[in-house]
Structures are given as C-alpha cells and as structure tokens.
Amino acid sequence: MLDFFQNTALFAVLLFLNSSSSETENFEYCVYDDEVFQQNCHPDPNFTYSTDPEYLDSFPEIKIRVHLWGFNQDDGSSEDKLTEDKIHESLKLLNSAFKNMKVCFELDGFDLINDSELYWTNYYKFGNKIRSGDFTRDNALNIYIPYKFTNNNDKLRGGKMSNNRMTVNMLNYNTGILVHEVGHIFGLMHTHSGYTSQHCERVTRDENDPNYNAKCAGDRVTDTNAMPKLYGKFHKINENCEYIGDATDCEGTPYTLEKSDIQNFMAYTQHSCRAVFTTGQKIRAREYIANQKPLQEMIMK
Ligand SMILES: [Zn+2]
C-alpha cells in the first residue's frame, strides 16, 4: 500500500513535515500522478536506462517555449505580484538547472489574469478552471503561478497538471520546486517512488543480484539510489546535505544514500539542498521528451 491518496484518487499526494525550523510546521505537497508499480521487472523499451555521459552528449541542445501566467485579484491587486523581474528569475533558474540536460527555456510570453478565484483557490478547482478557460498556449510549456493554493492550510506548493501545464505558488517561482515540477513534465518520477510498497526499489546496484530492480521500481533511474521520502526526517540530513540516518528498504537493507541523492531535485528533501539531476535522470528525461509529441511541440525549431 502506498499512500492514502494514491490508492483512492490515483494521485501521489505526498505530505511532509519540515523540521528544519523546529517551531514552525512547514508542509509541502507536490501533486503527481505516479505510475503503477510492477511486480515483475520488465524494463520499458522506450528507455535505455543509460548513465553514460557520452550518450547524453549525443543529444542536441533543445529550446523549450515557455508561457507564464500570473494571477491577481479581481481589482488587479496582489500580495505578491508576478513581475517581469520575477519571470526572468524563473527562466534563469530553469536555464541553470537544465543546462547539463542540454535543455534551455525561452519565454514565449506571459499573461497576468485578474481573477480572485484563480489567485487563491483549491488546487483542483484551479486546474478545472484553467482547463475550461482560455488559459493555455499550445506549443508551449504553460507555467501557472497563482498566489497560493488553499489545500493543506495553503501549503500546497505545486504540481504537474498535464503534459504541457504545471503550476507552482508564488512562494516557489524561483525555488527547486519550480525545477522539480518541470522534472515531472519531462517524465521524471520522485526518487522515493513506491518506497513503502512491497515492490520497493531495492538498494542493490549489482545487476546479477536477484533483488536488483532499479529499472522497474522507484524512479526507474539506476544512478539515483533507492531512498525514502525524507520530509519529516530532516534531522537525518546534516548541514552539508549528507544523509546520517539508518533507515532500510522494504527488505531491511540499509539505504546507501549519497550526497547527490539528498541534493536531488526529484527527492522529497531539505528545500535548500535541491541542486542535482543525475546523468541517468538527464538521459531518461531526454528520451522521454523525444517520445512525447506534446513535448516535441514545445521545442523551438
Ligand atoms: Zn513531485
């Protein structure tokens, strides 16, 4: 059994307690539709599972068209307006984070919408209203940045809404959460996916070990280690973003986490640690982009 929401609504709605500041409870949600976990390992033929930097180098540089959407209240006011400076900061962060994936982002344009409901509402109502209105630019990655979502005491930070739509709240227009959600758009899964399941990703990286399942469990990337969700366990991460805990996988094997696992953009980790995509993740993302028509349409020719 995974988490409650995944079983009931097919959404991996994951919740964590940020204990980095001991007095304040700081919850994070990321809404992402995880895959069904495979009991028997059948690697997906659409992916090579390569971790070879030379193969990554063989991909051409691509430029993704991005359209940003900001939301004010009906009267045009906002507690935290999406300005042109902030938009450029978002683009700069994405271009820095995805540089080594050979993906860059170019602003197609932005719109500021005066609508008090879209400004601050429930994540699902927001998504429905966006989908039913004229709020999508075809052939672009649409990033919606409302003030807040009312879910979970306003602490929901963002999510992937469809192949070409994603959202983060205004608190995260320039944080690792923005990069994390674009990672989902590029087909990357959470590095801890299914860690509580009986088909959890096993620690071993020896392909001859009968327990080896890195190609069909967890995030299906072999150079990210099997790992748990670390929200609520930030005392297991030291100030250098290194893991100092002793948790085990679902078979009782202690996790062997490296700094790059704790720093991974797709991990549920300390906010300030997020800085890394592995070569395996970069390759998987590039292979995903190559096979997905909606993503191909975002690429500037
Ligand atoms: Zn996520």
Side-chain angles (χ1 to χ4, degrees):
M1 173 153 161
L2 304 172
D3 63 76
F4 172 76
F5 287 97
Q6 188 164 18
N7 278 338
T8 55
L10 289 177
F11 281 112
V13 180
L14 299 169
L15 174 67
F16 87 112
L17 175 65
N18 177 344
S19 56
S20 60
S21 54
S22 56
E23 296 306 312
T24 0
E25 286 188 345
N26 188 6
F27 291 95
E28 174 171 356
Y29 268 89
C30 165
V31 185
Y32 179 67
D33 190 2
D34 264 330
E35 291 175 38
V36 175
F37 298 99
Q38 293 178 11
Q39 189 155 6
N40 299 310
C41 189
H42 301 293
D44 183 337
N46 289 312
F47 297 100
T48 60
Y49 300 88
S50 169
T51 57
D52 178 1
E54 280 186 29
Y55 172 53
L56 177 63
D57 273 348
S58 73
F59 286 90
E61 187 173 284
I62 51 172
K63 199 177 275 185
I64 302 274
R65 223 177 273 114
V66 179
H67 197 94
L68 266 76
W69 301 80
F71 300 91
N72 302 320
Q73 302 189 70
D74 289 339
D75 63 2
S77 67
S78 168
E79 291 287 306
D80 190 2
K81 211 165 216 164
L82 184 66
T83 61
E84 280 195 50
D85 282 350
K86 289 175 184 170
I87 287 169
H88 289 299
E89 226 181 298
S90 300
L91 268 288
K92 203 174 154 190
L93 170 65
L94 292 179
N95 279 319
S96 149
F98 288 90
K99 186 169 183 268
N100 297 331
M101 206 182 273
K102 299 172 83 177
V103 176
C104 60
F105 298 84
E106 193 159 304
L107 189 66
D108 155 78
F110 68 93
D111 282 277
L112 295 176
I113 307 296
N114 294 343
D115 183 316
S116 294
E117 188 176 39
L118 289 170
Y119 172 76
W120 192 359
T121 189
N122 176 281
Y123 178 84
Y124 301 99
K125 271 192 192 166
F126 179 84
N128 288 338
K129 194 161 179 177
I130 290 293
R131 277 183 280 270
S132 62
D134 184 21
F135 300 113
T136 303
R137 290 286 179 274
D138 292 334
N139 306 325
L141 170 58
N142 292 271
I143 302 181
Y144 306 94
I145 312 184
Y147 176 52
K148 282 180 184 176
F149 295 107
T150 54
N151 307 62
N152 197 35
N153 298 323
D154 299 335
K155 296 299 195 304
L156 190 147
R157 296 187 186 191
K160 172 182 171 178
M161 300 163 68
S162 72
N163 280 331
N164 66 343
R165 298 186 190 101
M166 54 162 274
T167 177
V168 292
N169 62 13
M170 267 310 293
L171 285 172
N172 291 287
Y173 77 90
N174 64 348
T175 72
I177 297 294
L178 177 74
V179 177
H180 175 106
E181 299 306 338
V182 176
H184 284 319
I185 291 282
F186 291 167
L188 297 178
M189 298 167 71
H190 294 139
T191 48
H192 57 265
S193 286
Y195 78 105
T196 56
S197 144
Q198 59 173 318
H199 308 302
C200 75
E201 182 175 11
R202 311 280 164 66
V203 169
T204 181
R205 286 300 179 268
D206 173 1
E207 292 209 40
N208 297 316
D209 185 322
N211 275 328
Y212 179 80
N213 68 351
K215 293 180 181 176
C216 47
D219 60 358
R220 278 74 166 166
V221 174
T222 61
D223 65 357
T224 57
N225 282 306
M227 68 181 294
K229 181 170 69 177
L230 290 166
Y231 288 166
K233 299 190 176 78
F234 286 170
H235 55 288
K236 306 281 189 192
I237 301 174
N238 70 17
E239 58 190 17
N240 295 319
C241 297
E242 291 159 340
Y243 180 65
I244 50 172
D246 57 1
T248 64
D249 72 9
C250 60
E251 291 223 315
T253 308
Y255 288 117
T256 53
L257 299 186
E258 289 164 32
K259 192 172 176 177
S260 63
D261 296 308
I262 303 304
Q263 291 182 308
N264 203 284
F265 280 119
M266 302 315 291
Y268 269 16
T269 184
Q270 181 95 278
H271 209 36
S272 58
C273 294
R274 280 203 183 88
V276 168
F277 287 117
T278 65
T279 302
Q281 284 176 310
K282 291 171 198 167
I283 289 172
R284 189 177 175 90
R286 290 303 307 259
E287 291 175 337
Y288 182 86
I289 293 168
N291 283 319
Q292 293 286 320
K293 196 159 172 264
L295 286 156
Q296 285 296 309
E297 288 171 351
M298 293 175 194
I299 297 172
M300 299 176 80
K301 306 290 181 213

